[in-house]
Structure formats: C-alpha cells, structure tokens
Amino acid sequence: EDEADLAAHRPRRRAYEAIVRSIESPPAGVEADVKAGGGRKLVLKFLRSPTEFLPSDDGENSVRSVELAVNRLEGAAGSRKAVPTGEKERLDRVSLVLRSVGYKGLPAKGVKEGFPFDHERGVVPNVAGRVMEKMGGYPTHVTGVYVAGWLKRGPTGIIGTNLHCAEETVESIAEDAANGRLRRPDYRFKGKGVRPLLESRGVRVVDAEGWGRIDAAERAAGEAAGKP
C-alpha cells in the first residue's frame, strides 16, 4: 500500500503503525535475547498464500513443511488485491500451523433458489452493499436487498474495516430510500413500520434518537482518549 492509501484508510494505517513501532522499539531485552540465542524471533512474510501442507516422514498426523504461493498487489490504491505471480516458496522444519484467515461464505439456508451468490469467492455479488443479479446479461440491483461484512467483501480486514463496510451499505440504503427506490411497506404494518412487531416479540428497539445518544457518547469518549 502506498502512503496516500494508508493516509485515507485509518484501520490499515493503525495496523501499519503498530507493526512499525514493534520493529523500531521492541520490548526491553528482546533484541539481546535473540542475539544470544535465548529468545524467539518473529518474522512476518507478506504477500504469501499457503497452497499445500506437507506431512512429516513419520506419517500424515504432523506437518513438516508448507508450500507458499508468492503474490503481488494489483489494482488502484484502496482496492488492491493479491494475485499469484506463479512463484513458489517452501517453509521447512515446520512444527505448528495455525489457521486464522476467516471463513469462506456459504449461501444462507432458507434463501430462495437462484439468489445471487458467487460460489468461487464466497460472497454475495454487490455494488456498495446493494445485492446485484444479472437480468438479461446486465447487473441489476435486487430491490430492497443489501449485504455487509464478509459476505459482502470476503474474509478481509479488521474490526475497523467492518465499520466502514457497514457505513457504506447503510449509505446505500438511505440513498435508495430518499430516491424512492424501495418498495412501500406491507399494508399489514399499517404505516407504523416493524417496531410494533418487534416489541410484540420482546425485542428492545433502539430508534434513531437513541442511536444518536449512543454515538455522541462514544465520540466524546474517543475525543477524551485522543482518538478521532
């Protein structure tokens, strides 16, 4: 990521700054321990994807090495994607493998057959959170249907990424509502929305005013802590 991209993306910038701080100012005694051979050293290898786990010689119950695909970043700043270069690397003498790459999305149970879903990427096709389907060969918004989170973009990012992802989807909903693109509420709601239904089921509703108070309190706490 270039500097302009990091400057415009706060979650990535904070993650980058944390890594840089840990490198430039390691905890007291760590560097000396490593040099003396009495400590452990953490090496971060970016732009790598595991493609195969190779078993040890004594059977298939333990791993011996990991084969990695070497990637490169492609695309415009802010929307780059890692693509394989065709090169391979191998990590030998591996004794432990931990998976922490999230999960691949699956179609939700109970959703009607034919609902838009990209099985290869594990996401619901969308544009800014608006679920899209092909009609006559052209992508068309499925009216009133939206998506957020990993089903929207895949298993990427951190907590802050989810915040921006959700905000984008909510902005799309608000824009469509303001422009009359949403269906009129079902007559059974009698113009009162879904609140009476939720309350009848014992669901506590936080309205726009309540959300505003929560948001104001969280922003005040952030400012007091020196966070934007």
Side-chain angles (χ1 to χ4, degrees):
E1 302 291 349
D2 55 31
E3 293 183 6
D5 192 31
L6 288 173
H9 199 287
R10 182 169 174 260
R12 290 180 186 171
R13 185 177 71 252
R14 292 184 64 186
Y16 171 78
E17 291 172 349
I19 293 173
V20 171
R21 283 197 303 270
S22 67
I23 295 173
E24 295 179 344
S25 303
V30 169
E31 194 170 331
D33 285 344
V34 172
K35 289 181 178 179
R40 297 178 183 272
K41 186 176 182 179
L42 174 65
V43 178
L44 301 177
K45 297 180 73 70
F46 295 98
L47 294 175
R48 303 293 189 273
S49 298
T51 57
E52 186 177 5
F53 299 115
L54 303 173
S56 62
D57 295 332
D58 59 0
E60 298 184 357
N61 293 326
S62 60
V63 67
R64 180 190 76 230
S65 57
V66 179
E67 188 172 272
L68 305 172
V70 180
N71 304 315
R72 66 172 177 269
L73 292 177
E74 289 187 356
S79 59
R80 291 192 176 94
K81 293 183 179 179
V83 296
T85 63
E87 296 181 42
K88 299 282 186 180
E89 286 184 2
R90 189 159 130 175
L91 297 177
D92 292 314
R93 298 175 62 189
V94 174
S95 58
L96 178 66
V97 176
L98 302 176
R99 294 186 59 186
S100 60
V101 293
Y103 63 85
K104 185 175 182 180
L106 297 172
K109 294 181 180 180
V111 175
K112 66 178 181 179
E113 186 177 349
F115 187 81
F117 193 81
D118 186 332
H119 290 270
E120 183 176 345
R121 295 181 56 215
V123 300
V124 174
N126 72 92
V127 174
R130 296 181 178 93
V131 174
M132 309 296 286
E133 65 179 346
K134 285 192 174 181
M135 299 287 288
Y138 296 95
T140 304
H141 177 209
V142 182
T143 304
V145 183
Y146 302 84
V147 65
W150 283 1
L151 273 179
K152 174 183 174 183
R153 66 182 193 278
T156 62
I158 55 179
I159 293 175
T161 311
N162 291 323
L163 173 64
H164 292 288
C165 172
E167 286 178 342
E168 181 185 55
T169 298
V170 171
E171 287 176 1
S172 294
I173 297 172
E175 181 182 321
D176 291 349
N179 292 325
R181 296 179 186 146
L182 302 182
R183 297 189 184 96
R184 294 181 62 83
D186 191 285
Y187 73 93
R188 288 171 293 184
F189 292 122
K190 299 179 181 179
K192 297 180 180 179
V194 299
R195 181 164 187 154
L197 175 64
L198 294 174
E199 290 178 342
S200 70
R201 295 178 177 178
V203 177
R204 185 178 179 183
V205 177
V206 177
D207 57 18
E209 181 182 352
W211 175 85
R213 292 196 298 269
I214 294 173
D215 185 56
E218 290 181 343
R219 288 179 182 273
E223 291 178 3
K227 296 182 178 180

